[in-house]
Every structure is written in C-alpha cells, then in structure tokens.
C-alpha cells in the first residue's frame, strides 16, 4: 500500500482549522456594544454597572496596561433560532498562544452577579440550551488589560507607575450565534484521534486504523454544509473510538486544576480577580458536567473570593459539599519552602487547614505544591504534623542536570519522618489532556512493573480560565481507548489511596528535593527577603510577650485577631514568586511597604506587652526573646544585663604594615591596610580560623547573565569571572570603648559603594559585620567570601527545625549541581573538634567550595550571596541602599551556631520597669529550642509552646511552666491533641518531661490551672 499518511494528516489539519472549527458557531448576529474606561484601579461591580457607556465597535483598540474597560453587550435572539442552542462569542482580542498572560474578562448580569469568565480558550457564554427565540441579552464585561510580560526582556510595564498608556488590545468579536453541537463533537473526535495517531509508532496497525477512519470521516463531510453533515462524519469514527485500551495500559487520574500564582507577572489585586474569573468558570462547568472534579489549593485565594465575591463563594461551598470542588494543599498559599522559617511553615498549615475546616468542614489530606523552587528536607515532618498524608509536586522535573529517579516514592525528612509522594510524569501542572502529553506521562513513568498509575492536573492556569469543556471531552474519549492510557477524572485523594495501596513499598528518597534551577531566588530582591525574615522574628517576639502578659497581667488582652491578620499577611508574601524575588516591580514595591507596616504594628504590640510586664519603674530591663540565656537574662525573660563570665575589655592597636588589631580575650582579629580580615584567631582553642595568605569578609563581584529566567537563575559559569573589591576609600576606627570596637571600611566600585563596619564586642566570640551597600550595578552578583582553614567534607545549613548537610565536594553530578545552596540563620563547616559558623540576619544564598593549598592544607571557602541585579521581570531589582548583617564565629560548634543565629536575629529590647520578668516557660536543655510561645487559637487561654531538637541527636528535657498548670498535651500543628496519653502529667513544680528524637518537633499545649 502506498504511504499517504502525510497527505491525510495535512488534510485533517487544514479542514479542522479552516472549515470545521469555524462552523462550531454558525449564523452570527452582532451584539450592540458600549464601553467605559474605569479610571485608575478596578472599581466595584456596582460602579461598573452604573457607569456612563459610550459607543464601541468591533476592531476598536482598548485597554492601557493594567487598566479596566467595561463593555456592555446587548442583543436579541432571532425568532428563527427557536429550539437551537445559542451562545455568545465574546473575543476581547485574545492571543490563543498565551492563555493566562494577557487580557481577561468576567461577565456580569445586570444585577451584578457573575456569569463566567472570558479567556483565550473559553470565549463563549451560553444563552440558551433550547432557545425560545426573542430572548434579550444584557451583559457587562469587566475586562482587564494586563500587559504581556512573558518574553523575558527588561520592561517597565511591570508597574502601573512606569507602564505606558497606549491601548494593548483590539476587540475581535461580540456575536450571538448558534452552537452546532454535532460540529463541536466532531472537532473533539478528530483532535483526540489525531493526537493519539501521531503518538503511535509508524509500524503500529492501530495508527493506520485511525488514519483510514479519519479519511473516511472527511469524505463524509460536506465542506459547504459542515453542520448538516457533521453527524454523518462522526459515524465513520465510531469504531476506532470504541476500541478498548490494552489491559496493561497506564492509568491516569485526571484532576481539574488551574495553577494561579498569587502574584507574579501581575500584582496581588489582579490575582484577586483572576481567581474569581477562574472559579466562576469552574462552577459553571460543574453545573453542566457532574463528573467534573476540580482541585484548588491556597486558602488565601478562597478567602479573597469570600471577601470580594460572596455570592460566588456560596456557589463554591455548594460544589465542595457535592464533592466536585476539592480544596487541596492545606497551606495558606503555595509558599516557597527553602526560605520560609520553621514557625512560618507551621503557620502555613495551621491557617490553611483551619480555613478549610472552618469554612467547609474539610480536612485536607494532601499537600499540593506543584511549582515551588525546591523542597526543604524538613517538610515531611511538618506535613505529617499538620495531619496530612501525601505530597505532590511537579517542579523537580525542571532540573537542569539530573533526572529524578522516581515518580512515586516515600520522601524521608531530616528527622526520619516519611510521607508518600508523587511527581506526575506528565511533567506539567497545566495539562491539555492531549495525546502527546498522555503518551509522555505513560512513557516517562519510572515505576513501571511495580506501579501502574499517575496523576495529571489539567486546565489552563494563571488566569487562563482553568479546565474547559474540551478537556472533559478528551477525558471521556480516552477513558478506555486503544493506544491511549486509561483516563479517569477523580479526586486527588482517590489517586493517592489507589497508588499507595498498589505501591506501599515504594522506594525512599532521603533529604531535600533540591531543584537544579532557579538558584538565584535565594538572593533576588533582598528587601523582600529581609522583610520576611524580620517579620518572622517580630511575630515571635510579639506572641511571646503578649502571651506572657496575658497570663501575668490582669486586664491585658491577647491580640488574637491582630496577630492572625499579620501572620496571614506574612504568609501571603511567602508565596513562591514573592519571597523568591521573581515577580514584577509592582509586587515588590507593595511588599516593601507592607513589611514596613507589619514592622510598626508588631513593634507596637510588643512594646505594649513589655510595658505591661515591666510595670512602673526606672530600672533598665533587657527583654530577651531568644531561646537561650543572654547576658544573664534568661530566655523569654527580662532583667538587668550582666557582663559575661571572664569579661575582658576590647582593645584596639595599630597593625604593623597598616590596619588594626582587635582583641577581647577570646578572639584576636587582624584587619589589614585594605580593610580586610586577615586573621581571626581563636584564643581559647589557639587556632586560626582563616587560611594562610588569604582575606575574609572579602566582597567579590561576578557578571550575572544566566541563559534564561533572569531573577530566578544563576548559572555555574558566573564563577569564571570574578573581581575582588579591595580598593579602599577610607579605613578608620569608628567607635572604641571597653565594650566594643568598630572599624569602618569604605569602598567604591562601578556605580556603587559599600561601607562595612567590623565590630568586636566584649565577651563575644563572633566578629560582627554590617555591610551598607548603595547598589547601582546591572546584571552583577555580589558575594562576601570567608576562606577558612578547615578541612570540611560537608557543610551544615540551618533549615526549618534543624539543619541539613551537603557535601563540599563535587564527586557526582548531583553534588556539583548544588553550587548554590540555601541556609537560614547560619551555615557551619568543621573538622573533628573545631569548626566555624557564618551567621546572617536576612541572607539565604550561599556557596561552599574547597581547595588544596601548596602547604598541603585544605581551605574551605564559605560565601554569602548578598545582592543581584537581574533585569527581568523587575528591571530595577535591588537598586538602592541596603543594610546587611552577618557574623563570623571562629571555633563555633553547631550548638553555638544555633544560639548565635537566634541572637543575631532576635535583638534585645530595653524597657524601663520595676523589676525582672520571669520567663513564662523554661527548658533545661540547650539542644531543645523553643520556636514559639503563644496562646491557643481556640481562645481557650491555653498556652502553646513549640520546641524542637536542634543538634540532630536525642534529647531529654524538662519544660517548666511559670504559671499554675493542670495538664499538658502533645498536639499537631493545629493544636489538636495527638492520639495517646498526655506528654506527661505535670509534676508538682509545674515541669513536664520531654524526650525528643533527632530534629523532632513537639508542640505542647499547657492547660492553666
């Protein structure tokens, strides 16, 4: 037989595009159109409905960047259409290639209720299933003219204040039309079969069966009367669509989904509208298709709907009760997981799951995080303590070098907890359910022979409108179709239950899920990261002192509502395109302002509580929020500060050859004539911290132009070029006294300048460094280097509730790919018996390398990533003034790093008062760190304390309550008692005995007597 495949395939493509698809909506009748440009920001619906509408015509341009245009469309269904299905086609000027990244619309009725959204693949509105003729149409379209910002080039369109005012879109079509059901069904038949056919091998007989059936269907179609002959054409396809799938066919659980970034290439206010548009589409689709299931994560987004679209929220609640609309994820937002602090990660689940329970009575069981940029090794324990069972992500398939070896597996965290995890092998969280993607999922699936099923999230995300009726048509046709995986639309929990039952002995992956991409997100937008870290610290302070005052001070009211509201604000800004610094300028400008408001409000709450606790008096009381005693003030208490044991005054001398020598009896620090630290000598261990012949606190600058994803990525080749910033503007002793000496170093480079203050304090075993940078570089990367005389096989980086080890060598491609790593408050390197820590107050990106020296020793260099200057999506990223704090701690062990890291991030507060304030709670084991002290969310007055073992070993401790205690219970993160007995019956003196495994998190609820 002659090979005519290409002829038939080309025939199909042309006929579909030029004849069949245009015939889906026939007999178009134009609607009358009016328009009104909303001034400034979006207006309430009532204002849009009442606005003065002017005339408008198809072909007119509309919409400057970030504007809102309201269109009023009116018309009458022709009488001759009686009995026909009638729809309106409302095309705002969509580009079909970019669903979710352009203009969008929401259709309203005259009473203000929403109808559905308008998107590139969803530009229709049903008027009548069987028209009577004469129906009047009156709708109002709230159209958002969001600029297209996806081309990865520097643009100032990412902020309303700098964007242009020219119209971006051209109105394409606003008609009433007859919806030709048979034609639409024929389109779905042909598209499914074409996609399936092209995925089958050229030697596969099934491919040719489909080809011949398509040929026959096209022969049966009269191109001059497509609606009249579509049914006949469909009959020629019945046989090939009825052939059942092979018994061994891969099984796909298809879950409707619309991944919507809570901010990214649009501001938060636009996300509020995006989620309303998408969910309005979803409840409409559910009305027409009872089999449709849609999963939505991010409690914040549903809360926005509740606040801004209460009538839509009620429809969603009904669909949740019916089981079609499925809340998933259990988190307030789909947050970053690398940089979010431990307590904040716990609160993501506390407030997320609490919202789903309070509003819908639903306990979410799966954690849904398809798009975050790598996943902390602390996550499995946090997932389990939240009451969740399963974890899903997609993003690891983006890794540049190493293909992850599993799709279904047990993920083991730093404490040993395991969570059943799935990576959908379809390699997208916005599947179209087309044949190519389903074939890829089946072929890519790594568990063949042991498992047989995977999950596919389908639907247009980011404002593309979510799943469509076309997606559901593909699912129906591929439910049991020869050559295709079997597709079943079902809830995520149903998939996980089946996958776990089938593959309970899945392999184990231990440690972090490191994404070999987007490493620059640890550094981009330094002020956003600084705002997050400091907000987390301030929330800790506010809760601790407010809880202490609520228990101790009559009449003091714990600010439950204020703290919850602030927490939710901070959690929102931990979304995986805000905290990582990968959003447009508008988002980060607003974030900086929001963090400033959070700072002032939390300082007010803290000061009010401390003032209430201190009482009337003139004594200088130091409030210590850190989890360890500091200057004689106990953790969580207040009192007069004391000099540390063995205190010696700090001395400063001129250094031979230029510079200064600082000493305090514990450290001797030499600063050379270039203003660089050339010695940090541990006097107690009689050990030099720095490698011979090199300098620490060395600022270095690299070119920074990754191959793609500017704000997201740094590529390893950036290291090939480096400039050491050693030119000096000024070097002086800025402050000198018995308690502290500060040497100030000033430098200029490029268009920027840096002033570094190097301080040694009495009694301290840290060198404190404050770097003030006026940053005006472009596409540059600023690092601070500390070359240490340590032979370290691995580094330890603080993460949530513990730390994670990473190799310093590059033996394998997995290790080499981790050329930039994330650490929280500290990073530590050591050889047996001695180590050094680098501490920080708002820096996350680090790199650790090692080199052999001519003397045979090994140098381990730790560098902090301070600032970047990418041009996309914010062309002014990090421009301006920054203050960054970090410290060098020679001789530090991990316990010292834990203590000093908290001390740096939780500064002392001095308040006048009557006398000391005893801690509300005390723990007698330094390895057991108190992470949070608060009152219970249920307003019972119970005190909740969260602790963890910080060193990676087993620990026993006594928790002592500074108030009468009647009971103590271990709880989950939602403060619900865990199964089993109380932690321990409190002893007569109010102590509770605790035993913790390595890195275990324990939440204890203390009932006051």
């Amino acid at each position: 037989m002659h090979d005519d495949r290409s002829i038939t395939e080309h025939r199909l493509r042309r006929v579909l595009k030029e004849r069949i698809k245009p015939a889906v909506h026939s007999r178009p009748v134009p609607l009358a159109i009016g328009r009104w440009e909303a001034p400034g920001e979006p207006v309430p619906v009532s204002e849009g409905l009442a606005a003065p509408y002017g005339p408008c015509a198809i072909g007119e341009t509309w919409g400057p960047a970030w504007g809102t245009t309201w269109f009023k469309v009116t018309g009458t269904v022709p009488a001759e259409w009686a009995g026909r299905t009638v729809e309106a086609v409302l095309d705002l000027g969509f580009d079909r290639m970019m669903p979710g990244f352009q203009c969008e619309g929401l259709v309203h009725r005259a009473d203000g209720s929403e109808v559905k959204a308008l998107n590139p693949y969803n530009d229709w509105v049903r008027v009548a299933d069987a028209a009577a003729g004469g129906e009047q149409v009156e709708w109002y379209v709230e159209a958002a003219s969001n600029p297209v910002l996806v081309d990865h080039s520097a643009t100032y369109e990412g902020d309303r204040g700098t964007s242009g005012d020219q119209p971006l879109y051209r109105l394409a079509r606003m008609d009433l039309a007859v919806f030709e059901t048979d034609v639409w069904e024929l389109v779905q038949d042909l598209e499914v079969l074409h996609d399936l056919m092209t995925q089958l091998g050229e030697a596969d007989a099934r491919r040719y069966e489909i080809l011949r059936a398509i040929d026959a269907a096209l022969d049966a179609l009269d191109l001059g009367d497509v609606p009249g002959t579509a049914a006949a054409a469909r009959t020629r396809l019945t046989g090939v669509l009825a052939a059942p799938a092979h018994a061994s066919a891969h099984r796909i659980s298809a879950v409707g989904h619309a991944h919507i970034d809570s901010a990214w290439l649009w501001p938060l206010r636009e996300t509020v509208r995006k989620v309303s548009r998408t969910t309005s589409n979803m409840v409409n689709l559910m009305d027409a298709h009872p089999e449709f299931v849609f999963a939505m994560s991010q409690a914040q987004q549903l809360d926005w709907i509740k606040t801004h679209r209460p009538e839509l929220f009620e429809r969603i609640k009904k669909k949740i009760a019916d089981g079609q609309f499925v809340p998933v994820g259990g988190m307030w937002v789909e947050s970053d997981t690398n940089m979010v602090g431990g307590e904040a990660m716990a609160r993501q689940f506390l407030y997320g799951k609490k919202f789903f329970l309070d509003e819908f009575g639903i306990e979410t069981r799966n954690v849904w995080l398809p798009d975050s940029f790598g996943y902390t090794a602390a996550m499995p324990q946090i997932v389990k303590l939240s009451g969740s069972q399963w974890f899903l992500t997609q993003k690891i398939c983006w890794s540049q070098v190493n293909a992850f070896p599993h799709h279904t597996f047990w993920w083991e965290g730093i404490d040993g907890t395991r969570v059943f995890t799935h990576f959908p092998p379809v390699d997208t969280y916005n599947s179209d359910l087309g044949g190519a993607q389903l074939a890829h999922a089946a072929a890519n699936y790594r568990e063949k022979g042991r498992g047989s099923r995977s999950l596919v999230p389908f639907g247009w995300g980011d404002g593309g409108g979510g799943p469509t009726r076309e997606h559901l048509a593909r699912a129906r046709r591929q439910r049991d179709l020869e050559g295709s995986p079997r597709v079943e639309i079902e809830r995520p929990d149903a998939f996980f239950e089946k996958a776990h039952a089938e593959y309970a002995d899945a392999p184990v992956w231990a440690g972090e899920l490191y994404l070999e991409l987007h490493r620059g997100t640890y550094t981009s937008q330094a002020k956003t990261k600084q705002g997050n870290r400091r907000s987390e610290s301030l929330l800790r302070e506010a809760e601790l002192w407010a809880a202490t005052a609520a228990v101790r001070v009559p009449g003091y009211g714990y600010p439950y509502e204020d703290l919850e509201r602030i927490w939710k604000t901070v959690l929102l800004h931990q979304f995986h395109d805000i905290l990582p610094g990968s959003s447009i300028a508008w988002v980060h400008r607003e974030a900086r302002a929001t963090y400033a408001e959070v700072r002032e409000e939390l300082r007010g709450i803290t000061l009010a509580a401390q003032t209430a606790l201190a009482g009337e008096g003139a004594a200088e009381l130091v409030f210590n929020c850190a989890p360890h005693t500091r200057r004689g003030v106990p953790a969580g208490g207040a009192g007069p500060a004391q000099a540390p044991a063995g205190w010696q005054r700090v001395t400063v001398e001129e250094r031979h050859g230029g510079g200064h020598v600082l000493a305090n009896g514990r450290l001797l620090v030499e600063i050379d004539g270039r203003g660089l630290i050339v010695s940090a000598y541990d006097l107690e261990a009689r050990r030099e911290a720095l490698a011979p012949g090199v300098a620490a606190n060395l600022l270095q600058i690299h070119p920074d132009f990754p191959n793609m994803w500017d704000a997201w990525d740094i590529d390893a080749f950036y290291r090939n070029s480096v400039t050491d910033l050693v030119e000096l503007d000024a070097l002086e002793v800025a402050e000198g006294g018995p308690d502290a000496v500060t040497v100030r170093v000033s430098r200029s480079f490029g268009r920027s300048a840096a002033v570094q203050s190097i301080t040694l304090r009495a009694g301290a075993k840290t060198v404190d460094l404050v770097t003030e940078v006026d940053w005006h570089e472009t596409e540059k990367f600023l690092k601070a280097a500390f070359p240490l005389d340590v032979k370290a096989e691995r580094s330890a980086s603080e993460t949530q509730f513990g730390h994670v080890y990473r190799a310093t060598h590059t033996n394998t491609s997995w290790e080499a790919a981790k050329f930039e790593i994330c650490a929280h408050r500290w990073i530590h390197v050591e050889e047996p018996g001695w180590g050094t820590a680098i501490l920080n107050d708002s820096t996350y990106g680090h790199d650790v390398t090692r080199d052999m020296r001519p003397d045979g020793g090994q140098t381990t260099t730790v560098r902090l990533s301070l600032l970047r200057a990418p041009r996309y999506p914010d062309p002014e990223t990090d421009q301006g003034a920054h203050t960054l704090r970090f410290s060098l701690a020679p001789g530090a062990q991990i316990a010292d790093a834990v203590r000093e890291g908290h001390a740096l991030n939780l500064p002392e507060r001095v308040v006048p008062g009557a006398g000391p304030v005893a801690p509300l709670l005390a723990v007698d084991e330094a390895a057991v760190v108190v992470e949070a002290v608060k009152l219970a969310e249920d307003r019972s007055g119970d005190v909740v304390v969260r602790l963890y073992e910080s060193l990676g070993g087993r620990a026993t401790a006594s928790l002592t309550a500074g108030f009468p205690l009647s009971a103590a219970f271990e709880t989950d993160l939602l403060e619900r008692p865990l199964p089993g007995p109380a932690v321990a019956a409190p002893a007569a003196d109010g102590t509770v005995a605790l035993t913790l495994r390595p890195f275990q998190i324990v939440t204890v609820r203390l009932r006051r007597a």
Side-chain angles (χ1 to χ4, degrees), residues 27 519 660 857 973 984:
R27 311 183 195 182
R519 305 166 184 89
H660 306 280
L973 297 182

Side-chain angles (χ1 to χ4, degrees), residues 325-396:
F325 198 116
V326 184
V328 292
M331 299 174 72
W332 189 248
V333 296
E334 287 185 12
S335 76
D336 170 78
T337 79
N338 290 309
M339 295 170 283
V340 172
E343 187 57 28
M345 188 64 75
R347 301 303 174 94
Q348 287 284 354
F349 286 97
L350 167 61
Y351 289 118
K353 295 199 68 161
K354 186 173 182 295
F355 181 88
F356 294 140
L357 282 163
D358 291 348
E359 296 294 338
F360 314 124
I362 287 191
E363 173 91 32
T364 54
R365 295 199 289 166
N366 58 72
V367 178
W368 187 279
L369 273 178
D371 191 32
S372 293
F373 309 147
Y375 304 91
T376 170
M379 183 66 83
Q381 183 180 193
I382 297 170
V383 168
K384 185 173 182 179
L385 287 174
S386 76
S388 299
Q389 297 171 257
W390 306 306
F391 185 86
L392 178 140
T393 184
Q394 183 70 66
K395 201 71 171 188
I396 298 299

